Amino acid sequence: MSSDKILIVEDEKEIAELVRDYLVREGYQVIISPDGEQGLQDYRRHAPDMVILDIMLPRVDGMELCRMIRNESNIPILMLSAKHSEVDKILSLGLGADDYMTKPFSPGELVARIKAQLRRYTLLSTPPGNQGMLKYGELEIDSKGYNVFLAGKKVDLSAKEFEILNLLAANPQQVFTREQIFDRVWGFNEFGDINTVTVHIRKIREKVEPEPARPRFIKTVWGVGYKFDGG
Ligand code: CA
C-alpha cells in the first residue's frame, strides 16, 4: 500500500469524491480543495506528492494554479479538462503539466495514470546508489533538489530538460532511444512529438556542454538515440 498524498483541486464535488474513493482504496491519502485559492493553500500546507487539477475552477483557475505550483515544485501534475480545446491550450502554454485527462474519464484509467506518474517521478528523483547527487567532472546534478551545477555555477534548466539530463546521467553508458526518453520524461503518448526530445537535447547541450557541437556528456548514438558518457 502506498501512503503518497494526493491533492485534488476540483469544484465538482461528485467527481472529486469519486476520484478520492478510488484513490483511498489504493491506499493513497487524499485532500480535496473546492477552488483554486484553497488549492494553493492546501498545496502549501500538506505538501502533496501529486496534484490533480481541474482547469475550470472558481477564484484561481487550474492553469494559473498549475503555473504557481510549478514555480515551487516539480511534483507530477495531472490536469482534468472538460473540453478537448483546453487540452491544446495546456500543451501550447507549456504550463508544465505532466499529463491530462478529458472529462468524462474512467476513474480506473485516472488511477493508473496517477500511479505511472508517481512511479516515474520517484524513479527520476532518486537514482539508486547515491544520495541524489550525481557528479561527473565539473557537472553536478542534484536529483532531489532539481539543481544542476557546472563548475560550481548553477545551470538554468527547464523541468523537462532537467528530467532528461537526470535520466541519462543516472544511467551512464545506457543507450536510450528518443521514444524511451519521451515515454519516461513526458509519460504519455497521445500528443507526443518525438522531435521534442531532439530539441530538448540540443538545449541541454547548449547549457551543460563546454563544446555543444562536440558533446562530452550527452553522446549521440547514431540511428539509435543518446547515452550519457560519465567517464
Ligand atoms: Ca470545474
Side-chain angles (χ1 to χ4, degrees):
M1 293 290 259
S2 160
S3 60
D4 281 335
K5 214 186 290 174
I6 297 171
L7 173 64
I8 302 170
V9 191
E10 165 66 274
D11 56 323
E12 284 168 84
K13 203 164 169 248
E14 281 172 23
I15 294 180
E17 291 177 352
L18 177 70
V19 173
R20 179 193 60 197
D21 292 348
Y22 269 80
L23 289 171
V24 166
R25 219 173 297 155
E26 294 289 327
Y28 294 104
Q29 297 178 57
V30 177
I31 303 130
I32 295 176
S33 311
D35 66 64
E37 205 175 280
Q38 180 71 40
L40 186 63
Q41 281 176 23
D42 283 339
Y43 164 75
R44 287 179 176 152
R45 183 178 315 141
H46 298 283
D49 299 286
M50 178 160 180
V51 182
I52 313 302
L53 208 48
D54 185 34
I55 291 182
M56 298 287 280
L57 288 169
R59 296 154 94 81
V60 176
D61 78 35
M63 296 203 193
E64 187 55 31
L65 183 54
C66 181
R67 211 188 317 257
M68 292 195 277
I69 292 174
R70 250 314 153 260
N71 279 336
E72 300 182 14
S73 156
N74 285 295
I75 58 165
I77 298 175
L78 184 149
M79 305 207 69
L80 300 175
S81 89
K83 289 178 267 172
H84 278 289
S85 58
E86 287 177 342
V87 169
D88 297 339
K89 219 166 150 191
I90 301 173
L91 294 172
S92 65
L93 285 175
L95 292 173
D98 298 284
D99 201 356
Y100 57 84
M101 286 193 90
T102 307
K103 296 175 183 176
F105 53 83
S106 125
E109 166 80 9
L110 177 63
V111 171
R113 300 243 195 140
I114 289 169
K115 282 185 178 170
Q117 287 297 334
L118 285 168
R119 199 166 44 233
R120 185 183 65 83
Y121 184 69
T122 311
L123 210 71
L124 287 168
S125 48
T126 49
N130 64 57
Q131 277 74 55
M133 207 66 189
L134 300 167
K135 199 170 186 309
Y136 298 104
E138 298 210 301
L139 182 65
E140 278 177 274
I141 302 166
D142 169 12
S143 302
K144 287 209 170 109
Y146 268 69
N147 282 315
V148 173
F149 301 92
L150 189 64
K153 256 184 81 183
K154 193 168 183 292
V155 182
D156 210 16
L157 294 177
S158 74
K160 294 300 181 202
E161 287 164 8
F162 176 86
E163 290 183 5
I164 294 172
L165 177 62
N166 193 44
L167 172 68
L168 296 176
N171 302 278
Q173 302 306 336
Q174 184 179 331
V175 179
F176 288 87
T177 65
R178 291 190 300 166
E179 287 79 8
Q180 282 170 333
I181 294 171
F182 193 89
D183 286 351
R184 295 279 283 272
V185 170
W186 276 265
F188 59 96
N189 295 308
E190 294 136 282
F191 287 82
D193 179 358
I194 288 303
N195 291 319
T196 308
V197 175
T198 316
V199 173
H200 277 72
I201 293 276
R202 197 183 64 227
K203 288 187 183 159
I204 298 166
R205 281 175 170 159
E206 283 165 5
K207 293 175 184 178
V208 306
E209 295 283 359
E211 281 184 88
R214 262 178 303 185
R216 175 237 177 283
F217 297 115
I218 301 177
K219 300 273 166 77
T220 300
V221 183
W222 292 108
V224 187
Y226 304 97
K227 71 171 182 181
F228 190 89
D229 187 353

